[in-house]
Amino acid sequence: MSDVAERVRDFIVRAARLRSLEDNENILESGLVNSLLLVQILNFVERDLEVEVADDDLDMHNFQSVAAITAFVERARSGMVAAIASGGPEHS
Amino acid sequence: MPLKPIKCVVWDLDNTVWRGVLQEGDELEIRAGIEKIFDTLDGWGVLQSVASRNDEASCLTQLKHFGIEKWFLEPQLNWGAKHESVRRIAERLNIGTDSLLLIDDDPFERAEVRSVLSDVRTLDVADLHTLLDRPDIKPPVVTPEGRRRRLMYMENRRRVEAEDNFEGPTSEFLAALDAEYTIRRAGESDLARAGELTVRTNQLNATGRTFSIEELDRFRRSDRHELLVMELTDKFGSFGLVGLALLGREPDLWTIKLLLTSCRVMSRGAGTVLLRHLADRAQRHGATLRSEFIHTDRNRAMFAIYKFADFTQVGGNDDELLLEHRPRAASPSLSHSRILAPW
């Protein structure tokens, strides 16, 4: 189990005052998470997990479960790693 | 620059609210005319509290004896320094010390408070007759929300206590609140509060545009616009008017030019409720729903609410976007709220 998944799950469990949460449980459809909490999750991803969420990434599919958020964060991070490996963002 | 409006008056007790000193066993007499002042301030939406270096239990008994305890929120009755009490009142009411006015007969106490909290305004009770004429205390327009401000504060206090004591998920707590939204066309009596909301709401505001009462009234009367307001009530009481939307209407295309919800109800998902309702209405009329959106340094939360409500950018430029509602399958549940919509 990844560290990111654990942190995301901990955050949502605390913020929504849940006892537990399955990684694939849809937090939007189940009504566990309202729009404020979504915004808090977004802030958590940006501030604590240090991943910038572009406007286009503000999408339900990226935020509907612990697994989805984790996948999004890991994708974004590997994107950054790739950019660094190839000499960083283009300057030309 | 105009003075910041006073949001709370903090009263001293001995020789201020009443004549005489409680701890010295004096025969106390309530100051003539002061109850009229309490009532007037309350009607204007100015909150009131007390800060007195005194014994708490005997003070409370005395306040009840005079029948005036109901006016005061978060009373601070203790032997500590007065500036501590004043600071605590500001914290508990969630306002800055620069919106407080301390009324005290004792020049030492007034100076003590100002020496630590330099932005607190003070008034000698000998000058009490000047209070209601101060330009920083009387609101230009009294709104229904202003008149209910003290009650709303007390209701919210009970709400917060209930949430602290609730065992279980937040979603269940919200469901148990029996939230009821009313979305309707703005009436003339809503305009003062609506204008106030456009000025005071920064975070949950799609365009950040502000409007005067006259401008809002023109939209209200216009055939090509809808000016809608949203109210929220739950089992603890009413929040009053908490949301506002201005819609430009063409037969097949509705465009939101202003959409905001008060930050006081941020945790309730009120923005999503309003947005979804508009989307629903547009769909039933066979109209496309679009929204103008202007990024500010404060309103990213509102942008996220739009995106999560299936709005996507279809035009505009970096400064002013044009978003369009393109509904997809799963959306966050609104199951904890009931919507009454005459519109």
Side-chain angles (χ1 to χ4, degrees):
Chain A
M1 173 195 328
S2 85
D3 169 52
V4 172
E6 206 165 319
R7 291 179 67 187
V8 169
R9 189 181 327 105
D10 277 357
F11 178 82
I12 298 173
V13 164
R14 253 186 305 115
R17 299 178 35 160
L18 308 175
R19 278 199 191 81
S20 61
L21 180 62
E22 297 296 320
D23 280 1
N24 286 310
E25 192 167 348
N26 190 316
I27 56 176
L28 306 177
E29 283 176 353
S30 62
L32 292 174
V33 165
N34 65 11
S35 54
L36 171 74
L37 202 50
L38 263 178
V39 172
Q40 290 173 341
I41 293 170
L42 171 65
N43 289 338
F44 168 76
V45 166
E46 294 200 317
R47 236 187 344 246
D48 296 296
L49 301 180
E50 296 174 16
V51 164
E52 203 179 321
V53 182
D55 287 353
D56 286 343
D57 295 328
L58 286 173
D59 187 304
M60 300 282 217
H61 297 293
N62 288 333
F63 287 86
Q64 65 191 4
S65 65
V66 172
I69 298 168
T70 305
F72 168 72
V73 168
E74 284 172 348
R75 246 190 347 265
R77 283 185 173 171
S78 65
M80 286 186 317
V81 170
I84 290 163
S86 67
E90 288 190 24
H91 293 286
S92 57
Chain B
M1 202 179 117
L3 278 172
K4 254 191 109 146
I6 288 165
K7 292 182 179 164
C8 178
V9 169
V10 180
W11 297 90
D12 169 53
L13 292 177
D14 288 332
N15 285 321
T16 298
V17 166
W18 54 61
R19 295 179 196 274
V21 177
L22 181 65
Q23 289 302 304
E24 290 176 4
D26 293 351
E27 182 122 356
L28 304 177
E29 205 183 308
I30 190 164
R31 181 175 293 273
I34 202 167
E35 287 174 272
K36 187 87 189 4
I37 296 178
F38 295 154
D39 191 38
T40 302
L41 291 175
D42 194 64
W44 287 351
V46 178
L47 302 176
Q48 298 174 81
S49 184
V50 288
S52 174
R53 283 152 49 82
N54 235 317
D55 174 65
E56 181 170 25
S58 46
C59 269
L60 289 174
T61 307
Q62 192 60 46
L63 288 168
K64 285 203 182 96
H65 174 73
F66 285 134
I68 55 175
E69 81 283 3
K70 65 170 179 183
W71 301 115
F72 307 120
L73 301 171
E74 308 291 347
Q76 299 297 313
L77 308 164
N78 57 63
W79 297 103
K82 189 157 279 193
H83 77 263
E84 292 286 1
S85 290
V86 169
R87 174 147 54 203
R88 210 168 297 125
I89 290 167
E91 276 169 15
R92 300 257 171 99
L93 297 178
N94 196 22
I95 57 181
T97 51
D98 61 352
S99 13
L100 294 183
L101 173 71
L102 171 70
I103 302 181
D104 200 312
D105 65 300
D106 186 340
F108 171 80
E109 296 282 30
R110 296 197 303 270
E112 190 275 330
V113 169
R114 276 199 314 263
S115 71
V116 183
L117 306 169
S118 59
D119 53 6
V120 171
R121 277 161 272 180
T122 60
L123 181 72
D124 183 349
V125 75
D127 299 325
L128 191 58
H129 58 280
T130 65
L131 177 68
L132 298 182
D133 294 322
R134 292 170 65 108
D136 54 2
I137 204 156
K138 184 177 179 176
V141 186
V142 179
T143 62
E145 282 67 22
R147 274 194 288 277
R148 288 196 77 250
R149 193 158 284 144
R150 173 174 53 94
L151 293 176
M152 283 198 279
Y153 179 84
M154 290 178 355
E155 286 162 6
N156 204 45
R157 213 190 141 127
R158 286 197 287 277
R159 205 176 271 122
V160 170
E161 273 167 22
E163 183 166 12
D164 286 346
N165 294 327
F166 187 83
E167 309 244 350
T170 305
S171 55
E172 280 174 25
F173 175 75
L174 292 175
L177 283 176
D178 288 331
E180 191 173 280
Y181 291 92
T182 303
I183 299 169
R184 57 176 174 79
R185 283 203 175 98
E188 201 171 351
S189 61
D190 298 315
L191 296 177
R193 170 65 176 159
E196 184 179 67
L197 274 175
T198 68
V199 176
R200 288 169 74 135
T201 308
N202 299 311
Q203 294 179 64
L204 297 182
N205 191 331
T207 52
R209 295 184 182 125
T210 61
F211 295 100
S212 69
I213 291 175
E214 293 72 29
E215 289 170 313
L216 290 173
D217 198 36
R218 272 201 294 281
F219 286 127
R220 192 175 70 86
R221 293 158 186 279
S222 152
D223 293 339
R224 299 178 48 210
H225 294 86
E226 292 286 354
L227 185 67
L228 302 172
V229 294
M230 178 168 75
E231 292 162 313
L232 171 59
T233 301
D234 68 18
K235 69 175 186 183
F236 286 97
S238 168
F239 287 90
L241 211 152
V242 296
L244 183 66
L246 174 64
L247 208 57
R249 279 185 78 167
E250 291 162 51
D252 302 326
L253 177 65
W254 296 6
T255 307
I256 299 169
K257 304 190 172 287
L258 168 78
L259 184 121
L260 60 83
T261 56
S262 162
C263 297
R264 290 189 298 128
V265 295
M266 192 163 188
S267 66
R268 313 292 289 273
T272 306
V273 170
L274 185 52
L275 208 45
R276 290 262 207 100
H277 179 71
L278 296 180
D280 192 49
R281 291 291 307 219
Q283 199 170 14
R284 271 195 273 159
H285 276 75
T288 299
L289 181 64
R290 287 188 174 166
S291 181
E292 295 170 5
F293 192 96
I294 299 173
H295 280 294
T296 69
D297 52 0
R298 303 280 301 279
N299 71 351
R300 184 122 195 274
M302 194 54 147
F303 190 71
I305 287 171
Y306 269 90
K307 292 296 302 253
F308 289 133
D310 295 333
F311 279 77
T312 188
Q313 186 175 350
V314 293
N317 52 42
D318 282 352
D319 294 328
E320 188 172 329
L321 314 181
L322 192 61
L323 308 177
E324 187 173 298
H325 184 236
R326 297 202 174 150
R328 282 184 298 189
S331 299
S333 163
L334 290 177
S335 55
H336 61 267
S337 28
R338 221 158 351 122
I339 300 173
L340 305 178
W343 187 83

